Amino acid sequence: MPLTKPQKIIFDDERRFRVAVCGRRRFGKTHLSKWEIARAARYPNRRVLYLAPNYRQAKSIIWQDLKDELGSRRWIKKINESELSIRLVNNTLIELRSAESADNIRGISADFVVLDECAFMDPEVFYQVVRPTLSDTGGGALFITTPQGQNWIYELFLNAKH
């Protein structure tokens, strides 16, 4: 399924960090996230992370859709159901992770991270844990969420405009 016009605007933006605060009116955050993950994963030997507020959300939001999409493209080499990871034929690793267990990300390098429903995460998850994983590679991130008042993601969104 192709991207909608608003999704395509976000997808085509070439900035390293992008912030998308989308209402609950079926914007298609998961669909856009799959496209972003696939784009980052098409290059060999990469590490792509999808981070949700908790393990259950990571699994229920995108896991099956991601397996179906990548499987239909015949990109999958191996799936690890218990670790929620997919190794692609080009040796790229896609991992679903939980912000509740963000310390498990410390010390790794990532090429791209989708932070889904990030308004519901502690800001230190990005600033202290995720951001350093992107430093070695110069990797990028997509912050995508429904609004949650004027919290850290609201500030990030306002700063992104400038």
Side-chain angles (χ1 to χ4, degrees), residues 54-81:
N54 60 58
Y55 175 85
R56 184 170 295 218
Q57 281 180 301
K59 188 171 184 178
S60 66
I61 292 172
I62 201 169
W63 183 237
Q64 190 61 52
D65 287 345
L66 194 58
K67 291 188 302 182
D68 292 346
E69 181 66 33
L70 297 175
S72 72
R73 295 179 188 207
R74 304 174 91 171
W75 287 12
I76 297 175
K77 180 178 181 180
K78 183 180 179 184
I79 295 174
N80 186 323
E81 291 285 345

Side-chain angles (χ1 to χ4, degrees), residues 9 20 23 34-36 50 52 54 58-60 65 70-71 90 93 97 100 128 134-135 144 158 162:
I9 290 169
K34 285 187 306 185
W35 274 71
E36 293 281 358
Y50 171 88
N54 60 58
K59 188 171 184 178
S60 66
D65 287 345
L70 297 175
N90 68 0
L93 181 63
R97 298 292 187 106
E100 290 178 330
Q128 299 297 319
L134 299 167
S135 295
I144 193 159
L158 291 179
H162 305 294

Side-chain angles (χ1 to χ4, degrees), residues 1-159:
M1 184 165 63
L3 295 172
T4 64
K5 188 174 181 178
Q7 290 169 335
K8 188 127 176 61
I9 290 169
I10 296 165
F11 186 79
D12 289 343
D13 191 311
E14 295 181 4
R15 285 177 271 202
R16 183 176 177 204
F17 299 117
R18 291 166 290 139
V19 181
V21 179
C22 312
R24 298 183 187 272
R25 295 181 50 197
R26 307 306 300 160
F27 176 84
K29 294 186 303 292
T30 301
H31 184 65
L32 175 59
S33 296
K34 285 187 306 185
W35 274 71
E36 293 281 358
I37 290 167
R39 176 172 54 187
R42 72 180 185 217
Y43 300 104
N45 304 310
R46 297 284 177 101
R47 188 177 215 160
V48 179
L49 303 177
Y50 171 88
L51 190 66
N54 60 58
Y55 175 85
R56 184 170 295 218
Q57 281 180 301
K59 188 171 184 178
S60 66
I61 292 172
I62 201 169
W63 183 237
Q64 190 61 52
D65 287 345
L66 194 58
K67 291 188 302 182
D68 292 346
E69 181 66 33
L70 297 175
S72 72
R73 295 179 188 207
R74 304 174 91 171
W75 287 12
I76 297 175
K77 180 178 181 180
K78 183 180 179 184
I79 295 174
N80 186 323
E81 291 285 345
S82 62
E83 301 220 353
L84 299 183
S85 67
I86 302 171
R87 176 71 65 182
L88 303 182
V89 294
N90 68 0
N91 203 39
T92 286
L93 181 63
I94 299 170
E95 298 175 284
L96 277 63
R97 298 292 187 106
S98 161
E100 290 178 330
S101 303
D103 282 341
N104 293 335
I105 301 170
R106 290 185 191 275
I108 68 170
S109 290
D111 296 284
F112 187 75
V113 179
V114 172
L115 293 99
D116 197 351
E117 295 298 357
C118 53
F120 300 88
M121 296 177 191
D122 183 325
E124 296 308 307
V125 169
F126 176 69
Y127 294 113
Q128 299 297 319
V129 180
V130 175
R131 179 72 174 86
T133 71
L134 299 167
S135 295
D136 297 349
T137 63
L142 172 65
F143 301 84
I144 193 159
T145 189
T146 50
Q148 179 63 16
Q150 294 185 0
N151 63 5
W152 75 279
I153 204 67
Y154 174 77
E155 295 295 324
L156 195 63
F157 177 78
L158 291 179
N159 289 334

